Structure formats: structure tokens, C-alpha cells
Amino acid sequence: MPTTFDRSWKLPAIMVAGLLAGAFVGWLAGGRAAAGFALVAVVEIVFLLTRIRHQANLMMAPDSSPTSLKHDRFMTRSRRIASSLRDLRSAAGTLPDAVVLLDNEQHVRWFNHAAEDLLGLRRPQDRGAHLDERLSTTELATWLKEGAREPLNDVAAPGHPNRHINVTLLPFGRRQRLLLARDISHLTRLEQIRRDFVANVSHELRTPLTVIHGYLELIDPEDVPELAPVLNEMRAQSKRMGQIVEDLLTLSRLETQEHVQDERVQMTPLLATIRKEAEALSQGRHQITVESTAEADLLGSVKDLHSAFSNLVSNAVRYTPTGGRITIRWRRSSEGAVYSVTDTGYGIPASHLARLTERFYRVSSSRSRESGGTGLGLSIVKHVLNLHQARLDIQSEPGQGSTFSCWFSNERLMAPGTTDPD
């Protein structure tokens, strides 16, 4: 009797432990506990089906002569496995994320109820259907045909066009795939509320700050020497607040912008302008040089690229001690061309590099305030580069300086003197 009891609880216990472990691993991999749970659940379902088939083959073998006791044990084990299988299918079916099991040719083998709601799949007609053909009029079909190597973020749900989903395709079993889709509509709404709030507040702050700054400019510190330090500090802070508002408005515009109006960006005069701006900000405290060897112009927005490039240079000026060197380079690369700014400043610890483009993120708050930075410059750079299908690369070592590089593809390059795009 104890032996039978021991065997009866081992399999369910192992399966429950596997589900918990899968949820835990999914949580560690980015807060996707439900996805980890679903993946383990599908694996266990396949395992149970395989085990039932194996046991059935043993019972039906010609040379087998099962006794009544063996038959009873087999039936008991089969009922237990069938019960576990029903529980696992029920658990996977009630997951809030859509789960679709595909074969090696992307035919639908199984899907849960959330897949019916989010992806518009229907039972039984869609079982065995080719998924990209079933979703032929959606972005998902193009993504699947292109190989689905990277997750697809923030797309309309085929079952509900007014809802948004993130989709991932994972390898599973023998040449099978597991498609997971998560509803992010509430996150999209919250992000839109945040953008509207920032834009509205920035617009409302612009007028009173302009008035305050204007009146401060009218007061001459020489007329009230005892208040001169206070007036100078008020002017500096008023100017800094005005710059923060302008940067917030720029960010709000870039975040809602899907593409740029392409025009010729002549790099030679742009580099000259950026150098003059850097020298004015530096006031002779740094050695600033420009190296231009790319012999190419860019295709994009002059205003936005000027903003991004000058932000990188002004950061270098602010965070490089007096006597340091700042080098602005425009050169060719194997991918296209690179605009880079190298300084001999304080440098940035590696632990901070991944978060530098976040709004208001600062490596050193006191140093940023002293230098007059708003904490939004690199966020603006990131969004401008995204609109130009470019990327930002940051290399830095504490005490040795930093290099910020903007990598552009060949599609964005134009030979000097060629005709402007239509």
C-alpha cells in the first residue's frame, strides 16, 4: 500500500513543480511568468500524450499477455494521466495571454481561449490552418513570413483592432513553434495619458516662465547690489526651467511622430555650425576639433539631426574639465557613416550606460545641475535616431572619457552635390 501511494503522487507533484519552475523562470526573464507557465504546460501535455500512447502500445503488443493486476494498474495510471492532462489543458486554456502551438510549417495544432479573443482564431475550422494565411491582412502575417526573429511590439490585435498586443515566437519541441501574444492595451493607454500630460503641462508652463524671465531681465543687478547674487541665480534657474520645458515639448513631438520629412542635410555647414555652438558654450576652456572624412550628406530632418548632434556636443562640453579635448568626427563605416563625439571628460561607469537615454536619468545629479543640463538631451538623441533608422552607441571608461556614436545606414547617405529627394 505505501508503495502504491508513493507512485500515485510523484507524477502530479513533479508536474506541479515544473509549472511553478516555468513561471519562476519566465518571471526572471522579464516578468513573463504566464509565458513560462504556458510553455511548461504545453511541454507536459505533449509528455502525457506520448506516455499514454506508449502505454497503449505495450498493452496492444501481440506478445504481451497482461494479467488482470497489470491491466488494473495500467487503467489506473491512464486515468491519472488523463486527469492531469485535462487539468493542464484547462490551466493553459484560461491563461490571459494567447498561446498557439504551431508545427514546423506554421500550421495551427492547438490554441487557447485567449487566442480566439486576441487573434481571432476559431474552433474547429482554424485547427490545421496555416497561421500567416489565416492572418493574411494583418501585420502578424508579414512578421511571420519574414521569420519572426525578433518580438513584434505594439501592433493591433487581429481579433480586436482597437486593442494592442506584443507577440513572440519561441522554438518548442521538435521543429515546432509556440506563439505567445500579450494584451498591452492598458499600457498603451497609460503611455498616451503620460504623453498628453507632459505636452499639456509643458505648454502651460511656457507662458508664465517667459513672463518671469522677461521681468528678471528688466532688473539690473547693479541697481540693487545687495540682491545681485539672488537675481543672477533666479535668472539662471529661470533659463534652465525654460530649457526643460522646450526639451519636454520636443520629446512629446518626437514620440508621436512616425516619420520625418526627408530632405538634404548638408553635413559640412552643419558641422561648422555645431563647432561654433560648442566653442561659444566652452568659452575657450576646451580644445574642440572637427574631422570630416565621410564626403557624404544625410537624408533626413535638418532640424532634428541638428538638435541631436548639438546635444551630444553640449554634453561633452559640460562634462569635460577645463583643458580637455573634444573631437567631432564624421566618417565612413562598413554599414554607412558614423557621426561621433569623443571627449576626455569624467567618463561613465558601465552600470549606468544602459539607462543613459531615459528621461531625467543622471549619473551625478549635482554635477548635472551645476553644468546646466536638463537630463533630456540623450532621450531626444535616441528618438531622433529612431526616426532616421539609426542607432546610438556609447563607449566610456571612468576617468578616460566617452565616445557617443550615431550609426547611419547607406540608405540615409547622399553624395555631396546630388539632387535633393522629391
Side-chain angles (χ1 to χ4, degrees), residues 152-165:
L152 185 62
N153 298 318
D154 197 6
V155 295
H160 288 279
N162 60 335
R163 294 164 69 179
H164 294 258
I165 57 176

Side-chain angles (χ1 to χ4, degrees), residues 300-368:
S301 167
V302 175
K303 177 182 177 181
D304 291 338
L305 288 173
H306 181 197
S307 175
F309 293 167
S310 62
N311 263 310
L312 293 179
V313 176
S314 62
N315 281 347
V317 173
R318 289 190 179 99
Y319 302 116
T320 300
T322 301
R325 298 187 310 277
I326 298 171
T327 304
I328 305 168
R329 293 186 177 91
W330 174 237
R331 60 182 176 82
R332 288 277 187 172
S333 72
S334 57
E335 301 176 10
V338 184
Y339 170 87
S340 64
V341 179
T342 302
D343 63 60
T344 58
Y346 303 108
I348 305 166
S351 58
H352 294 279
L353 295 180
R355 300 189 59 189
L356 283 180
T357 56
E358 295 179 10
R359 300 175 189 85
F360 298 111
Y361 185 81
R362 301 175 185 274
V363 177
S364 173
S365 298
S366 60
R367 185 180 295 163
S368 296

Side-chain angles (χ1 to χ4, degrees), residues 128-368:
H130 207 282
L131 187 60
D132 64 356
E133 294 178 359
R134 175 64 181 79
L135 306 174
S136 58
T137 59
T138 67
E139 295 180 61
L140 286 176
T142 304
W143 176 68
L144 289 169
K145 290 178 180 178
E146 292 176 351
R149 296 177 181 85
E150 297 293 334
L152 185 62
N153 298 318
D154 197 6
V155 295
H160 288 279
N162 60 335
R163 294 164 69 179
H164 294 258
I165 57 176
N166 284 349
V167 190
T168 305
L169 191 65
L170 304 173
F172 165 74
R174 295 182 178 179
R175 300 177 65 189
Q176 299 180 77
R177 297 290 185 272
L178 192 67
L179 185 141
L180 303 175
R182 169 167 293 183
D183 187 354
I184 59 166
S185 300
H186 63 293
L187 296 178
T188 304
R189 286 194 295 271
L190 289 175
E191 180 65 15
Q192 187 59 49
I193 291 172
R194 182 196 63 78
R195 291 175 181 173
D196 293 342
F197 173 78
V198 171
N200 292 334
V201 168
S202 300
H203 277 291
E204 293 299 325
L205 286 175
R206 174 187 272 175
T207 299
L209 280 173
T210 302
V211 172
I212 292 172
H213 189 70
Y215 277 120
L216 287 173
E217 290 294 330
L218 290 176
I219 303 174
D220 191 347
E222 294 182 357
D223 295 338
V224 279
E226 65 278 9
L227 295 179
V230 176
L231 290 173
N232 289 332
E233 180 64 19
M234 291 175 67
R235 286 180 177 180
Q237 294 302 325
S238 173
K239 184 177 180 181
R240 181 169 176 269
M241 282 295 296
Q243 187 59 54
I244 290 177
V245 168
E246 293 301 323
D247 285 351
L248 284 172
L249 289 172
T250 299
L251 264 180
S252 297
R253 175 181 62 81
L254 292 172
E255 287 176 339
T256 57
Q257 192 172 338
E258 295 182 356
H259 56 82
V260 294
Q261 185 66 38
D262 287 336
E263 55 184 321
R264 171 184 289 280
V265 181
Q266 297 183 354
M267 290 301 295
T268 298
L270 178 57
L271 292 173
T273 301
I274 291 173
R275 179 175 184 172
K276 290 179 181 178
E277 294 172 351
E279 290 174 342
L281 183 62
S282 173
Q283 296 182 351
R285 295 181 295 112
H286 308 90
Q287 178 185 345
I288 301 173
T289 59
V290 174
E291 299 176 5
S292 179
T293 59
E295 295 184 356
D297 290 339
L298 276 173
L299 183 64
S301 167
V302 175
K303 177 182 177 181
D304 291 338
L305 288 173
H306 181 197
S307 175
F309 293 167
S310 62
N311 263 310
L312 293 179
V313 176
S314 62
N315 281 347
V317 173
R318 289 190 179 99
Y319 302 116
T320 300
T322 301
R325 298 187 310 277
I326 298 171
T327 304
I328 305 168
R329 293 186 177 91
W330 174 237
R331 60 182 176 82
R332 288 277 187 172
S333 72
S334 57
E335 301 176 10
V338 184
Y339 170 87
S340 64
V341 179
T342 302
D343 63 60
T344 58
Y346 303 108
I348 305 166
S351 58
H352 294 279
L353 295 180
R355 300 189 59 189
L356 283 180
T357 56
E358 295 179 10
R359 300 175 189 85
F360 298 111
Y361 185 81
R362 301 175 185 274
V363 177
S364 173
S365 298
S366 60
R367 185 180 295 163
S368 296

